[in-house]
Amino acid sequence: TARPLLSACIHDLIGAQVARTPDRAAVICGTRRISYRDLDEEVNRLSRYLRKRGIEPESRVGVCLERTPRMIVAILAVLRAGGSYVAMDPHYPPERLQFMLQDSNASLVLTEEHLRPRLGRRTPEIVVDTEAFLIAAESSLALPGRARPENAAYVLYTSGSTGRPKGVVLEHRNASIFLDWVLEVFDAESLSAVLASTSICFDPSVLEFFAPLISGGAIILADNALQLPSLPPAVSVKLLSTVPSAVAELLRLGDIPAGIRTVTMAGEPVPQSLVDEIYDRWSVDRVFNLYGLTELTTYSTASLLVRGAPHAPRIGRPVSNAQVYVLNWQQRLAAFGQPGELFIGGSGVSRGYLDRPALTGERFVPDPFGGVPGGRMYRTGDRVRMLANGELEFLGRLDRQVKIRGFRVEPGETESVLAAHPEVREAALLARESANGNGRELVAYVVPLADSGLTELELRRYAAQLLPKQQLPSAYVLLDALPLNASGKVDRSRLPAPNSSRTSSAVPFVPASDAVEAGILSVLEELMDRRPIGVADNFFELGGHSLLATRAVSRLRAAFDIDLPLPAFFEAETVGALADVIRAMLAEDRGDETGEPVPEAALWGPAEAVGAGIARPGVREPAEGVAYGHARPEETN
């Protein structure tokens, strides 16, 4: 797959595009559009401010900002100043964010005033909203570059099998060579408007942020791919990159804007039925199945999927300048059709794990096949086979790592967190198919200390303080002991399915008091396959997540004939609070200004519906202006 190497710095590639298309839109957020010129000037100001604070090549800078144009400016400014950014999702638990700053030994962290309490006080801060006037005073001219292609560009943290997250260090040349392949495969129209909905902490964001900006396209910021139907009518997404489960949910919505030309899916197996439905219902030109790992610069193999294929979609062939090897247990090349472990070498192989030389040496091993002195290959832990036509077929994992809604989860980390609870004796985690058809879910099996009185709710709240949402179990099962096999290890085949009935909880069961509450409870109980749910219960503390939330909102919209916004669902702490929101909307729709109660019969309708809304609410940005100190009064979308 060798091609001429485009070994360059990311910010230099973007700077060249600024010179070519200064007036074209570079970032779109709601109704707000920022041109390449304005973006470049703001990046230059902040990069100069960072340089004055000592940022240079191999300096690490945490970026912990809400998902707005300010986040894009911060990322590019760190790169232009010469440093590497440590990706931090502000909605991670504070303990996780503080660990990332400490483990990465970040020189600075870029954040906002309302996020400061989540970061502790160990790392020096640049608070971009309160220091906006100082940043705006800097020159808008570009700094002379100091970074080289072999310097670090960013650090992404992944789940750790031993209970400790690990940072992967990727260099500019890793990213620039990958992006060169992206420009080779995806046409200019597809890259002209890319939905950027992946968290900054996950490697698909590299494609979504940088590929449009080096090709003259626009980043369309969204909190989640499920926000696609609610984008302003003037915004036309051309490339959608997300996980198959999100695409399936968008198809269930039905109301998708026209104009999408390319769909890429990764992170989960892709059913052929989903591919066929995409081609049948959306006017797309191409659908791709992409495979990759953070350690290998986003994607390492690709497959262009066709309508009506007689077999399940495969993960395809290696991208440019990647080499893939299927090795047997002796680490020799397997024959065509013989299962083995997938090893990947080439230009995408990252530097390794930050300050984890032993783990780096274990996973990044010498490449005896590539013919490059000092070349390394990464052992993925994935079981595959290479077919006679050169395509790779994914067969599963060789270890316990799982993917939940496209997120990579090491069960050992969640188990370690739960086992550290002072009232827990043992804990085990299992990924299993949910009984209600909502896909795979994490189930935690916990053995409390004798007479501890530990509850499921207490465990949920404890885990939520320490783990990102994608690593939280959807269900908890309290056991007297974990089943063991003859070797004394946990026999996971004997772990019971979670009980859908209400378990012991610190929240007392409160039944519905009117038809609105009864209607909400009926929808949630059916959707979550859990009974009974009470008015005092919290959807997310019961194991709900964003995909389930969109389905719940869709059904509630149809049931009550209202346009319930998804942010209202996320903000309602309990079923009772959500009922108050719905009652207020019903009263407003009926022009009820008298304060008299609306008859219950008028509030309730059929519960059957399909559809969804958008993801968690983001922070609203000014409708015009750029990132710092130049904005007009705020408007809402």
Side-chain angles (χ1 to χ4, degrees), residues 11-35:
H11 53 278
D12 290 336
L13 296 173
I14 296 173
Q17 186 60 46
V18 171
R20 290 191 290 267
T21 57
D23 298 318
R24 190 177 294 174
V27 181
I28 299 173
C29 185
T31 58
R32 180 182 177 193
R33 294 172 179 259
I34 299 175
S35 70

Side-chain angles (χ1 to χ4, degrees), residues 184 195 206 244 530 632 636:
E184 176 186 329
L195 186 70
V206 173
R530 183 184 178 108
R632 297 185 181 181
T636 58

Side-chain angles (χ1 to χ4, degrees), residues 9 11-12 44 47-48 51 55-57 78-83 141-149 151 172:
C9 289
H11 53 278
D12 290 336
N44 291 337
S47 65
R48 287 178 176 275
R51 185 74 65 82
I55 299 306
E56 57 187 15
V78 171
L79 298 177
R80 189 161 293 175
L141 299 178
L143 280 167
R146 290 184 182 176
R148 305 286 297 171
N151 286 132
H172 281 274

Side-chain angles (χ1 to χ4, degrees), residues 323-328 331 341-345 363 365 369 377-380 382 384:
Q323 289 83 50
V324 302
Y325 313 107
V326 183
L327 305 185
N328 61 23
Q331 293 198 8
E341 182 176 1
L342 178 61
F343 287 67
I344 299 181
R363 305 300 299 185
V365 298
F369 309 106
M377 56 184 183
Y378 178 75
R379 55 184 314 164
T380 67
D382 285 328
V384 302

Side-chain angles (χ1 to χ4, degrees), residues 280-621:
D280 289 341
R281 295 180 54 188
W282 296 349
S283 57
V284 302
D285 296 326
R286 297 191 297 173
V287 178
F288 286 89
N289 186 22
L290 303 178
Y291 165 89
L293 296 163
T294 303
E295 290 86 348
L296 298 165
T297 317
T298 311
Y299 300 125
S300 300
T301 72
S303 176
L304 176 60
L305 306 180
V306 299
R307 189 198 312 263
H311 51 73
R314 296 156 182 163
I315 61 174
R317 296 179 173 85
V319 304
S320 298
N321 294 302
Q323 289 83 50
V324 302
Y325 313 107
V326 183
L327 305 185
N328 61 23
W329 64 276
Q330 297 174 308
Q331 293 198 8
R332 295 178 179 174
L333 292 171
F336 284 110
Q338 179 184 349
E341 182 176 1
L342 178 61
F343 287 67
I344 299 181
S347 61
V349 178
S350 67
R351 186 181 293 182
Y353 299 116
L354 180 63
D355 295 332
R356 306 281 293 274
L359 184 59
T360 298
E362 176 187 335
R363 305 300 299 185
F364 296 81
V365 298
D367 180 358
F369 309 106
V372 177
R376 298 176 304 150
M377 56 184 183
Y378 178 75
R379 55 184 314 164
T380 67
D382 285 328
R383 187 169 178 264
V384 302
R385 63 180 176 180
M386 184 174 286
L387 305 177
N389 64 0
E391 284 193 320
L392 289 169
E393 182 179 12
F394 181 81
L395 301 176
R397 288 290 297 178
L398 293 167
D399 58 17
R400 295 182 55 218
Q401 185 188 109
V402 296
K403 290 288 186 75
I404 303 295
R405 298 184 300 281
F407 295 110
R408 171 174 161 181
V409 176
E410 296 280 3
E413 182 176 356
T414 301
E415 289 172 346
S416 297
V417 167
L418 293 174
H421 190 286
E423 296 182 54
V424 170
R425 182 158 58 90
E426 293 179 282
L429 195 73
L430 186 66
R432 61 193 311 156
E433 292 297 322
S434 63
N436 55 0
N438 289 320
R440 297 184 92 190
E441 63 181 11
L442 295 175
V443 180
Y445 297 87
V446 176
V447 179
L449 295 176
D451 302 321
S452 71
L454 187 65
T455 66
E456 175 186 341
L457 180 62
E458 184 178 350
L459 281 169
R460 286 189 182 279
R461 291 179 174 175
Y462 169 78
Q465 294 174 354
L466 300 170
L467 293 168
K469 289 180 180 179
Q470 66 272 9
Q471 292 178 232
L472 293 175
S474 296
Y476 289 77
V477 179
L478 302 182
L479 300 173
D480 294 330
L482 296 176
L484 304 179
N485 58 26
S487 303
K489 297 182 179 180
V490 176
D491 188 347
R492 298 179 190 278
S493 67
R494 292 167 54 200
L495 290 170
N499 192 335
S500 62
S501 63
R502 188 181 185 88
T503 59
S504 59
S505 172
V507 176
F509 174 71
V510 179
S513 62
D514 64 10
V516 173
E517 292 175 355
I520 297 171
L521 294 175
S522 176
V523 167
L524 296 184
E525 286 175 349
E526 180 182 356
L527 187 65
M528 304 184 76
D529 191 28
R530 183 184 178 108
R531 295 173 177 81
I533 296 176
V535 173
D537 285 323
N538 182 302
F539 171 80
F540 296 99
E541 289 184 347
L542 295 177
H545 50 77
S546 59
L547 283 177
L548 280 180
T550 61
R551 296 181 189 179
V553 168
S554 175
R555 296 186 185 190
L556 292 170
R557 286 171 176 168
F560 292 101
D561 192 23
I562 57 174
D563 188 17
L564 176 68
L566 188 59
F569 188 91
F570 277 84
E571 291 164 4
E573 294 186 358
T574 64
V575 172
L578 180 61
D580 290 339
V581 172
I582 291 177
R583 289 191 198 98
M585 294 184 70
L586 290 168
E588 183 178 352
D589 287 347
R590 290 163 175 77
D592 178 26
E593 300 176 355
T594 65
E596 295 296 324
V598 179
E600 286 188 359
L603 296 179
W604 185 240
E608 295 300 324
V610 177
I614 61 173
R616 65 166 182 82
V619 171
R620 297 297 186 189
E621 281 290 307

Side-chain angles (χ1 to χ4, degrees), residues 59-381:
S59 296
R60 290 183 283 276
V61 180
V63 174
C64 186
L65 297 165
E66 297 286 3
R67 197 172 183 82
T68 68
R70 185 178 284 155
M71 178 188 69
I72 303 298
V73 170
I75 289 172
L76 298 181
V78 171
L79 298 177
R80 189 161 293 175
S84 59
Y85 69 90
V86 180
M88 303 174 66
D89 190 318
H91 299 279
Y92 276 8
E95 289 83 356
R96 182 79 162 208
L97 296 174
Q98 292 165 25
F99 169 84
M100 293 163 73
L101 286 174
Q102 182 179 3
D103 185 74
S104 66
N105 193 26
S107 302
L108 287 170
V109 58
L110 290 163
T111 190
E112 292 160 314
E113 183 64 38
H114 73 284
L115 297 174
R116 292 181 67 195
R118 304 179 64 82
L119 302 178
R121 290 292 181 266
R122 292 188 177 186
T123 305
E125 302 167 334
I126 292 179
V127 186
V128 294
D129 43 358
T130 59
E131 298 179 52
F133 68 100
L134 295 173
I135 298 168
E138 296 289 339
S139 169
S140 63
L141 299 178
L143 280 167
R146 290 184 182 176
R148 305 286 297 171
E150 61 270 18
N151 286 132
Y154 53 95
V155 178
L156 302 180
Y157 275 83
T158 69
S159 179
S161 59
T162 61
R164 176 185 171 191
K166 50 189 184 289
V168 182
V169 183
L170 294 112
E171 299 173 349
H172 281 274
R173 60 184 172 188
N174 295 135
S176 63
I177 295 169
F178 164 70
L179 292 168
D180 190 42
W181 170 81
V182 173
L183 267 62
E184 176 186 329
V185 172
F186 300 108
D187 59 31
E189 182 183 8
S190 294
L191 294 174
S192 67
V194 177
L195 186 70
S197 60
T198 303
S199 167
I200 183 179
C201 292
F202 298 101
D203 48 351
S205 64
V206 173
L207 185 156
E208 295 172 1
F209 291 164
F210 302 139
L213 294 182
I214 68 175
S215 62
I219 299 170
I220 300 175
L221 279 177
D223 289 334
N224 189 294
L226 300 175
Q227 193 175 349
L228 180 61
S230 65
L231 294 176
V235 176
S236 179
V237 171
K238 300 299 182 183
L239 189 148
L240 171 63
S241 171
T242 187
V243 295
S245 54
V247 172
E249 190 65 28
L250 288 169
L251 286 165
R252 187 178 288 110
L253 290 173
D255 185 22
I256 301 300
I260 297 175
R261 311 310 306 164
T262 302
V263 174
T264 71
M265 294 181 285
E268 299 170 325
V270 180
Q272 182 61 40
S273 59
L274 181 61
V275 177
D276 294 341
E277 191 173 2
I278 293 171
Y279 279 121
D280 289 341
R281 295 180 54 188
W282 296 349
S283 57
V284 302
D285 296 326
R286 297 191 297 173
V287 178
F288 286 89
N289 186 22
L290 303 178
Y291 165 89
L293 296 163
T294 303
E295 290 86 348
L296 298 165
T297 317
T298 311
Y299 300 125
S300 300
T301 72
S303 176
L304 176 60
L305 306 180
V306 299
R307 189 198 312 263
H311 51 73
R314 296 156 182 163
I315 61 174
R317 296 179 173 85
V319 304
S320 298
N321 294 302
Q323 289 83 50
V324 302
Y325 313 107
V326 183
L327 305 185
N328 61 23
W329 64 276
Q330 297 174 308
Q331 293 198 8
R332 295 178 179 174
L333 292 171
F336 284 110
Q338 179 184 349
E341 182 176 1
L342 178 61
F343 287 67
I344 299 181
S347 61
V349 178
S350 67
R351 186 181 293 182
Y353 299 116
L354 180 63
D355 295 332
R356 306 281 293 274
L359 184 59
T360 298
E362 176 187 335
R363 305 300 299 185
F364 296 81
V365 298
D367 180 358
F369 309 106
V372 177
R376 298 176 304 150
M377 56 184 183
Y378 178 75
R379 55 184 314 164
T380 67

